[in-house]
Each structure stands twice: as C-alpha cells, then as structure tokens.
Amino acid sequence: MNQTYFLFFLFIVSDCLAQSTLERYPEYYFKFTVSDSINYSGIYSDQQVRDSLKNEENNSHRAAKKIEEYILESQTIDFLERKNKSWDITLTNGSIKRLSIPNYSDVADYTLEHFYEKHQLIVFRTQYSEGNEYLVVSRITGREFTMWGPPSFSPNGKFFTSYNNDLMAGYSPNGIQLFEIIGNNPTLTINYPMDVGPSQTSWISDSTFHLETYDLGTTNGSLTYIYTHYIVTYERTGH
C-alpha cells in the first residue's frame, strides 16, 4: 500500500522530510506518496552527452567547464561574452548586464550550464571555493536568481523544481525547491531542506513529479546508498 505524507505533518512523520517555510508559505504545499522506482531520463534532453563529459573529469569544476564548451558549440548563443570569471549579457532590450560577483563572496567562477530560449533564462553553475549553487538570469528583466540546482520545468513551463544533494561533503544545500514563473521571473514558492539527498526528478504532469532520494548507510562496514522514491504533488492550500 502506498504511503502518503502531507507537508503540514512532516515535522511529526519524518525528520528527513522536515520543511523550512517561506513567509508566503503555505500558498502551496507538497504531498509525498512513497512509490516504486522508475527510469529517470535526466533534466536535459542531451543528458547522456553531459554525463559523458562529467565522467571524463574527476573534478566538478573542470567538468562544468567542459559542459560550457559543449553548450557554446551546440546552442545558438550570441548574447554572452566571458569576462574573466564573470559574463557580459546582452539583454533582449539591447542593454548590457555584467553578471555580479559580490565583494564579500567566495565565487570562483560562473560556468554556462544551459539557455532556455522559450523563457529567455540563462543558467550558470556557480563555483565557490568549496561547494556550488546555480544562478539563473532573465534576459528579459536582467534579474538574477540563486537556486540549489538547475531548473527542471513542468510540462506547461509555469513551474520548475531545483534540487541538490551534498550528503558526503556538506558544502552545499540538500533539498528541493519549487519556483513559479511570474512576469518573466522565477519566484521561489517552496524552499525544502532535507536530511536526505534528492538525486533525480521527473515530471508526471503540471503539478506532480517523481522524486528519488538517497541516504547513506553501511553494509558489512562498507558505505551504501539507500534509495527511496516518491510521487510528489504541489497543491494550493486555499488560503
């Protein structure tokens, strides 16, 4: 029998599904139902190519640089110019925006990850001295949005998930986020830190997606990965 968890009760049901909420929460909430495993195809249509490039390197930043080279060759991108570890972006209105690097930050590099032409959103991987996040920039508004992982869009393109796992090192967040596209800008709707690592997602419909998570365990003294699969639905509270 499938088990269903509602976000309102997650603090009681499971520590690994505990939620840090936003001020505007609970306009939406997550509902989790434990499910069977599925075959995940990845975030991008060219995921196999990206994975093969990653496998050529044992360093995540060098792998990101290889993906950047691949993206610049495979996508039509004539609105970006690299400036050391930053970029100049030509916005849709013709103005130039310099990707910001705060003086207090430990940003080591921004590498190009993808360009979503339909939404005019540019995805950069942010490399810190330790750990990483992602930065999404709207070519229409010029606004920047920090998130935990690259966007994975719902079929209607109005929502996307962003997730990351870093159970081993702990430099980067573990959890999943939900964004809504409002006025050409991604708006953070649910911010969901987890004590397990989200590892894959796959959309089922405009409001439901598969989620794979893993935890760390040991078998006969060896490190093992313990996987759990969910069907996750986001719903409005009616407030």
Side-chain angles (χ1 to χ4, degrees):
M1 179 180 295
N2 287 341
Q3 296 177 320
T4 301
Y5 302 92
F6 290 88
L7 200 57
F8 299 117
F9 305 109
L10 291 179
F11 293 105
I12 299 173
V13 173
S14 173
D15 289 339
C16 71
L17 296 181
Q19 167 120 22
S20 173
T21 58
L22 303 177
E23 290 183 1
R24 65 188 295 240
Y25 177 81
E27 181 178 352
Y28 291 97
Y29 67 93
F30 279 147
K31 181 179 72 175
F32 290 79
T33 301
V34 177
S35 68
D36 295 329
S37 63
I38 67 165
N39 292 322
Y40 293 87
S41 59
I43 293 175
Y44 302 107
S45 59
D46 58 354
Q47 192 66 54
Q48 289 186 340
V49 176
R50 293 169 181 264
D51 290 345
S52 67
L53 293 172
K54 288 181 181 179
N55 291 336
E56 292 176 3
E57 298 288 346
N58 59 6
N59 176 276
S60 59
H61 182 224
R62 289 198 297 269
K65 298 287 282 186
K66 279 198 169 184
I67 290 174
E68 176 184 293
E69 294 175 5
Y70 162 70
I71 294 302
L72 289 172
E73 292 175 357
S74 61
Q75 290 191 280
T76 303
I77 298 177
D78 56 1
F79 48 82
L80 289 176
E81 184 178 357
R82 181 174 267 283
K83 297 292 184 179
N84 195 12
K85 61 182 180 181
S86 185
W87 296 80
D88 278 353
I89 304 169
T90 302
L91 304 182
T92 54
N93 64 7
S95 62
I96 305 295
K97 171 189 173 60
R98 174 68 58 87
L99 201 61
S100 61
I101 300 180
N103 292 330
Y104 58 83
S105 76
D106 62 344
V107 172
D109 196 12
Y110 289 115
T111 54
L112 178 63
E113 171 85 7
H114 194 70
F115 172 57
Y116 287 100
E117 185 174 4
K118 177 181 177 181
H119 298 89
Q120 291 294 302
L121 293 176
I122 312 166
V123 183
F124 295 95
R125 181 183 181 276
T126 308
Q127 178 67 51
Y128 296 108
S129 56
E130 296 287 355
N132 67 273
E133 286 185 318
Y134 284 77
L135 185 72
V136 172
V137 182
S138 169
R139 279 197 72 212
I140 299 173
T141 66
R143 292 184 61 187
E144 301 177 5
F145 306 89
T146 300
M147 54 195 65
W148 294 340
S152 174
F153 279 93
S154 61
N156 65 6
K158 294 181 179 179
F159 290 86
F160 65 79
T161 57
S162 169
Y163 66 89
N164 185 65
N165 64 77
D166 192 13
L167 292 182
M168 295 289 287
Y171 294 121
S172 303
N174 288 287
I176 187 166
Q177 300 170 304
L178 179 70
F179 287 81
E180 181 179 6
I181 302 293
I182 300 176
N184 298 312
N185 290 312
T187 301
L188 182 59
T189 302
I190 298 178
N191 201 52
Y192 189 12
M194 305 173 75
D195 293 329
V196 293
S199 48
Q200 298 191 84
T201 62
S202 178
W203 285 90
I204 303 170
S205 69
D206 292 330
S207 61
T208 305
F209 56 90
H210 287 284
L211 171 66
E212 177 188 82
T213 67
Y214 74 93
D215 202 354
L216 302 177
T218 56
T219 301
N220 297 324
S222 300
L223 181 68
T224 59
Y225 294 88
I226 304 167
Y227 291 93
T228 306
H229 298 265
Y230 300 95
I231 293 176
V232 184
T233 301
Y234 64 85
E235 300 180 0
R236 289 185 182 272
T237 63
H239 291 186

